[in-house]
Amino acid sequence: MPSDVQPVSPDAVPAKPFAVRKARTRFFGLTFDECIRVFFGGNAFVAVIVLALITFFLFREGSAFFGQNRESLRVYRQAGLEYIDIIRQQEADHTALTRYLFAIRMKVVATLREERGAVIQADLEAAKNAVQQLAGAEGGATSTTLVSARARLAEAQKADAALGASINGELAVFDTFAERYSDTVLPVRGLVSDLGEIATGIKSRYIENEDYKVARSQFIQAGKQGEADAIQLREIDFKTEVAAITGILPAYQQINGEFTAALQETVRELPVLPVASLQPRLDRFKVLTQDYVAMFPGIEARLKAWDPLTPVTWSKSFSSFIFGREWLTASFWQDWYGVVPLFVGSLVISLIALIIAVPLGVCAAIYINQVAGPREQKLVKPAIEFISAIPSVVLGFFGIAVLGQTLRALSQFESLSWIPGFPYSERLNALTAGVLLALIAVPTIFTLAEDAINNVPRAFKEASFALGASRLQTIVRIVVPAALSGIVSAVLLGLGRVMGETMVVLLCAGNRIAIPDFTAGLAVAVQPVHTMTGIIAQEMGEVARGGIHYRALFVVGLVLFFIALLLNYLAQKIVRKYRISVG
Amino acid sequence: MSTPAHPFASRPTAGRKFENATFWFFRVATYIILLAGLAVFGDIILKGSSTVFGAFKSTEHFPYVTNTFLSEAPETLYVFEDGGVKREMGDTEYRAYRESRIASALAAGEPAPQFKSESYVYSAGGIWPCIVGTVLLVVGSMAIALTLGVASAIFLSEYAKDGAFVRFVRLAILNLAGVPSIVFGLFGFGMFVIFFDWNVSLLAGWFTLAFMVLPVVITASEEALKAVPQGFREGSLALGATKWQTIRSNVLPYALPGILTSSILGIARVAGETAPIMFTAAYVVRDKLPWDVEKVSDFFFQGVMALPYHIYVVSSKIPQNEYTSRVQYGTAFVFLGIVALIALASILLRNNLRGRYKW
Amino acid sequence: MVTTTSSRTPLSSPMETPADTPASRTFKVSSVPSEDDRADTLIEIKDFDFYYGTKQALFDINLKLDDKRVTAFIGPSGCGKSTLLRCLNRMNDLIDGTRITRGGVKVRGVDIYGRDVDSIELRKRVGMVFQKSNPFPKSIYENIVYGLRIQGVKSKARLDEVVEKSLRGAALWDEVKDRLHESGLSLSGGQQQRLCIARTIAVEPEVILMDEPCSALDPIATAKVEELIHELKKQFTIIIVTHSMQQAARCSDKTAFFYMGKLIEYADTRTIFMNPANAQTEAYVSGRFG
């Protein structure tokens, strides 16, 4: 009852001073509350610090790579390896031409067999089947029929062999030609191998000497002067050493002259192929050879102009990483750290994963948000999110243990041979890894895309329905366009996850360090590749700390880091730029 | 020609059929995803559960039943023939068996039997040290991540005013979330293992994993803090409470369940990652269990075996065959089971919590 | 501690020329206290300009509020009455981007935006009751003693005494005395709001700000709160923002009418409702707009 309210603050002291002045303990000029604020702020700043530290340590460990790589390239040049590689390239080009010849031969044989051997082939197959059937049906067939079937098989095999022999006979002229052609390079090859020994000798002595130098300085630092003095340093004078290599130029020129003459002599008279339709290929081969020969003066000029003392520029060191097409380590000749094969491998796998994951993820997002009933929604949504809980190493194991074989077996079905690249024999390849990564990307893409679709204002949809549009029309014309920026950024973030994923690619991508052969068209998907993340995980544990290889791996990490930041930035930018503003 | 009864009657037009077909297509896409997930789970559960459930053995004393797969360390598996019988044995058992056979043969005056054995590393025994290592890694890194993450979230949701600093922090968190886990591994290796000279150790793994999961924890905690009604704060402040008093007594207690449940998702991530611990904390094999240390400080500076890394090792470093698949699938089953349970708990609790806390 | 530097404009800052806001000048005369005013001035608002970000919310407010009286702020939605109320105990400090560009507020002659004023101390003296009742999800008892606990009061006897006193003061004692340890959220809406009032008076403030305290309540609960306000004004200065003109007429001694962030008219409640000086006020109180 209001009447028996007791006065809470009695009126007796009306002139209580209005004390609202600050009178608090201060630490370093901050009140207790401000201290707490600073503490929490400091914690939040940890995120910034971590990001900065990541950048710093990647740079710290990686930055010295470019110096070391420059040094490595310098030795490569000064020891004459670069000089020899010019000639080696010439030799490799010749080998490629020989392979071209061989490809022509294969084609000829295949064509001839197809033309003449159809009957023989059919006989052979039939006989084989008959023998198999009879042998399989135990006791069902009398031994005489089996014997006769076997005899038929033997006959068919004989006929087949005879056909092979006759084809080989017809190709005898061609084979002699091919052999002569491939032998022309032998003097050059011999020269390269002799020079190679000299150059690797110089290089290894140089490296040995450098190691001694390090050991010596360590002794001196440890105060063991005597032991330091005991180490004999043999400085390598590259200029004089390399003269032994460059000195062969006249000899090379002579060999080259002979080589040229031999090549031209060989291709003057082309053999006639038993298959006339393939003759143009041989003509083309002649043109290729002439082009090849025409390059020789250029090679000689390059050799003449080559100077071991030309300094290796920083940009050379840099570009040999960024644009280097070879990642070759622990090589007796020269180590190359080119990121391109790894980057391309990552890219191929990511594209495969996205090609699978984007349609699935986006369709599922549309279905769950727009079509499915509430109960289905309630079940399926957490289920898809739950898939993201599968640890990637388990997925990788699944790829090795199950998916690799399954996909390969699938590829060997004849009815599927129309798919590019099918059938294939490598169990672990970009496709296997890509399919598994798709499973990793799907929940990310699904969740974010579903969010984006969910954020499309109801009013848009209602307006569309009110105009008589069907559900599908509303989805295609209103909902998806309105959510497009969200979907695109979902795809970018999915790409980020896939690019950064390590364990699946390490276990399932096949780990062959080479730029995949894009001339194979879409079949590139079934080639084994290696990736940026995979190479770090695979090689980091085995490299010497502080070595060039170690640092190269950190630079790869740096590249990954910046790719991740870039994708993140793009995703945010797209979302921010195209965000629908309502109200 | 039958005309519809009224102009609004539903007609099966081509457009309608097309719409239905499209929706079916979408539905199929959705269920393909679920099937793919199911295939992975199913395969591993089917082939892995027998390893785990087949490893129960009765013991003489309490608790009378033990699971050798879960409680023993990995051993090398020996496959050999003796007396026409093919036998598979773990390292210790094999040695003992050989000794006894040779001894008995010598006693009987026969020539010592020769065993031609094939060996497969890690394929016998169990995964106990890996389970221990994973638990230690998760507990330590989550402790660090929760401390840092909750404090950051309190700052962002309670103290921060929109400004350059906060935008900067948020940007950093967002970007940190996108950094690949292998880069965290490299960073941890460069900073903790080499620069701080902690070597491959629990401590290095803790910090690496904690930093990796930090964005998840911060986002989850901030969401939970934001869910506490503004009225709680205003009511407290209007009574003359300081900011910190308000947060401590009137915000944190109500946000805590949300923070913890959402952070379970972080646990699943920490437990599931391999790349960050590969060079910072994980050993391929280690005989001692983590608590067999001489000094307390050694505890923090020792590497451990961990489930995800063990799966990587057994699936890539040993051949795939009938003898090795037991341990491969068994490990994958246990690991997947643990992570999936954590994730399931997180999803269920989160949904439950969202329904329960309506202020 | 949350204080924005920009909001610390001292009252003594040089006044701007009064020519810039002619509209409000016209009604300045109405803020002169009426003839039956025997109360002391407790709060003095002078030349007060207030911004949310770049949007000006209050324009040149000049107002003197009396001690131990009930003052009502009325006006249509978005007229700035709640904003002004929240300025009186610096609750607006908690919102990003708010700033005071001119003028200030004095309580008992102390500039509450002064550099040396602690907003925490201020809020202990100027309590607030919110539009939506916001009891903490604690027991009724804990709700009441919360303010004392954070001031460090530990004595159980003292806390018990304050709980009873405050609940009696808020006319809630009889209804809840048997279930003091139940959750504050178990009470009905009107009881919750009175609990919030009890919570506020437990810390013995001088001023209680009420921001539409009855807008979420049914008529019976509203009547109880209004009755309570009547009792409370014996000990407290009450400033109440309300949407309901009847409520302002029923429980306030003085009424200020705001429109578009400007103080249009301030006078005895009777005057405002019976004989307003301004056409806009008249239109509003007679229900022709707003």
Side-chain angles (χ1 to χ4, degrees), chain C residues 108-128:
Chain C
R108 274 205 206 292
V110 177
D111 172 16
I112 63 167
Y113 285 95
R115 199 169 272 281
D116 58 346
V117 168
D118 186 340
S119 61
I120 305 296
E121 292 300 321
L122 172 70
R123 290 188 200 121
K124 285 180 188 160
R125 317 300 301 275
V126 184
M128 186 161 191

Side-chain angles (χ1 to χ4, degrees), chain B residues 109-355:
Chain B
E110 293 166 18
Q114 294 287 316
F115 295 112
K116 265 177 72 182
S117 63
E118 293 169 46
S119 63
Y120 302 98
V121 281
Y122 316 130
S123 300
I127 52 170
W128 173 237
C130 310
I131 299 177
V132 171
T134 296
V135 168
L136 282 178
L137 280 173
V138 167
V139 169
S141 55
M142 282 315 284
I144 298 170
L146 277 175
T147 315
L148 288 174
V150 172
S152 307
I154 289 176
F155 174 77
L156 288 174
S157 110
E158 306 296 321
Y159 284 97
K161 301 203 170 174
D162 208 19
F165 176 70
V166 171
R167 270 203 301 277
F168 197 50
V169 169
R170 285 191 191 282
L171 195 71
I173 293 170
L174 214 61
N175 281 315
L176 210 55
V179 173
S181 56
I182 187 82
V183 173
F184 276 104
L186 270 185
F187 157 68
F189 184 63
M191 175 153 163
F192 303 121
V193 176
I194 292 178
F195 185 67
F196 289 174
D197 203 17
W198 290 351
N199 288 320
V200 174
S201 63
L202 264 183
L203 211 54
W206 282 346
F207 276 99
T208 309
L209 287 173
F211 286 159
M212 184 194 72
V213 82
L214 197 56
V216 178
V217 176
I218 294 177
T219 317
S221 308
E222 214 190 328
E223 197 184 321
L225 286 167
K226 288 255 158 79
V228 175
Q230 200 57 31
F232 289 14
R233 299 183 181 88
E234 287 185 338
S236 170
L237 288 170
L239 292 170
T242 64
K243 191 102 189 170
W244 171 235
Q245 285 169 330
T246 301
I247 292 167
R248 201 189 53 205
S249 58
N250 247 354
V251 178
L252 264 188
Y254 310 119
L256 213 55
I259 291 175
L260 291 181
T261 41
S262 306
S263 297
I264 294 179
L265 210 63
I267 296 181
R269 177 124 198 252
V270 164
E273 279 290 356
T274 321
I277 57 170
M278 279 178 101
F279 339 114
T280 55
Y283 276 169
V284 177
V285 66
R286 189 160 188 273
D287 293 332
K288 283 183 183 171
L289 282 170
W291 39 79
D292 290 341
V293 286
E294 289 168 15
K295 288 184 303 205
V296 178
S297 65
D298 284 353
F299 180 79
F300 299 101
F301 294 104
Q302 61 175 341
V304 292
M305 295 179 74
L307 276 174
Y309 191 60
H310 193 63
I311 293 179
Y312 165 64
V313 171
V314 297
S315 58
S316 68
K317 303 271 155 86
I318 61 178
Q320 309 273 318
N321 60 35
E322 53 189 311
Y323 304 116
T324 56
S325 73
R326 178 189 95 89
V327 73
Q328 287 171 341
Y329 271 103
T331 316
F333 172 71
V334 171
F335 182 48
L336 185 64
I338 293 175
V339 174
L341 276 183
I342 296 172
L344 194 69
S346 140
I347 291 174
L348 291 182
L349 278 174
R350 195 180 57 194
N351 288 349
N352 191 17
L353 208 68
R354 272 189 192 151

Side-chain angles (χ1 to χ4, degrees), chain A residues 542-558:
Chain A
E542 295 154 13
V543 298
R545 283 178 199 175
I548 179 171
H549 190 178
Y550 166 89
R551 302 210 182 279
L553 293 177
F554 269 93
V555 181
V556 174
L558 207 53

Side-chain angles (χ1 to χ4, degrees), chain A residues 56-104:
Chain A
F56 171 73
F57 274 97
L58 291 182
F59 268 112
R60 180 177 179 269
E61 298 296 323
S63 58
F65 165 76
F66 292 105
Q68 287 181 341
N69 197 29
R70 189 168 162 234
E71 168 69 10
S72 155
L73 291 174
R74 185 181 69 83
V75 175
Y76 169 68
R77 171 166 292 168
Q78 297 195 337
L81 293 167
E82 187 185 48
Y83 185 82
I84 300 165
D85 265 346
I86 298 174
I87 311 176
R88 267 186 14 151
Q89 185 57 45
Q90 185 191 14
E91 187 204 331
D93 288 345
H94 181 269
T95 313
L97 285 170
T98 320
R99 258 204 306 270
Y100 185 85
L101 267 188
F102 189 68
I104 295 180

Side-chain angles (χ1 to χ4, degrees), chain A residues 7 40 114 200 433 465:
Chain A
F40 286 134
E114 206 169 292
T200 46
F465 284 135

